[in-house]
Amino acid sequence: SPFFGVPVNLHFGTVGTNTGIKSAGYWLREHADKNAVIFSDHEQFVGEYYLGRRVVGSLDLFLEVEVISDYESALNKSVIDYVYLRENNWRALKQRIIADGFSPIVLIMRNNDLLGIIYSKKVQKPFIIDTEKFDDLFDKKYANINSLFVDYS
């Protein structure tokens, strides 16, 4: 249901915004190598919970300049295979990611609204996925105790 123009869902008595991460998680679990490293503007533990891959990034970053700094720090420590960002209209961050050789490969949509983008160094025409379908696919295949916890050691 819309809340100030933002799609929200009820989860066990709390209200949460659908950021597209569940659909992104389904796509990445199906297509990304199990050893892939992902940078995301989601909190690391949330990213790893849904994306099922190692996620680099920090907690509670709200400003674009903070996320850019976090991205640069992550690049210095890890080889990043994918980037998953919520749609925040952060032009400088997107320009930096593209300058580093990443291209948008998956657009996460809900009711014609862009929720997030998966970037990769593989160049391809962006694939569009809809959360109405892909969130359900995630729930059916990955929403179980065995697949939600991954050991990266």
Side-chain angles (χ1 to χ4, degrees):
S1 63
F3 183 76
F4 295 110
V6 178
V8 295
N9 297 310
L10 294 178
H11 299 285
F12 306 107
T14 63
V15 176
T17 302
N18 186 337
T19 63
I21 194 166
K22 190 185 284 189
S23 290
Y26 181 83
W27 191 91
L28 284 162
R29 286 170 182 255
E30 293 292 308
H31 295 94
D33 183 272
K34 290 198 180 294
N35 296 317
V37 176
I38 301 164
F39 175 82
S40 179
D41 59 348
H42 280 277
E43 291 84 359
Q44 182 179 5
F45 65 91
V46 172
E48 289 182 354
Y49 178 86
Y50 286 107
L51 305 177
R53 303 293 181 266
R54 186 168 156 246
V55 173
V56 293
S58 297
L59 294 174
D60 299 326
L61 301 178
F62 299 102
L63 302 175
E64 182 178 24
V65 66
E66 292 176 315
V67 178
I68 291 171
S69 176
D70 194 46
Y71 169 74
E72 290 170 347
S73 175
L75 276 177
N76 290 330
K77 297 175 188 171
S78 304
V79 173
I80 297 173
D81 301 297
Y82 295 89
V83 175
Y84 176 66
L85 299 176
R86 291 175 270 203
E87 179 48 43
N88 289 320
N89 293 313
W90 287 347
R91 294 175 70 189
L93 178 59
K94 289 178 186 177
Q95 289 172 349
R96 172 61 198 270
I97 289 167
I98 289 168
D100 287 337
F102 288 94
S103 299
I105 61 166
V106 179
L107 307 177
I108 314 295
M109 306 290 291
R110 181 179 179 87
N111 300 327
N112 295 318
D113 292 323
L114 180 63
L115 300 182
I117 302 173
I118 299 172
Y119 296 84
S120 171
K121 292 198 173 181
K122 301 172 190 169
V123 178
Q124 67 183 47
K125 182 179 178 186
F127 182 69
I128 298 172
I129 62 176
D130 190 291
T131 60
E132 293 292 327
K133 176 181 177 184
F134 282 79
D135 282 3
D136 190 48
L137 290 171
F138 179 95
D139 288 341
K140 288 178 179 169
K141 187 165 184 179
Y142 296 111
N144 62 68
I145 194 76
N146 295 324
S147 71
L148 291 178
F149 297 99
V150 181
D151 181 10
Y152 299 105
S153 57

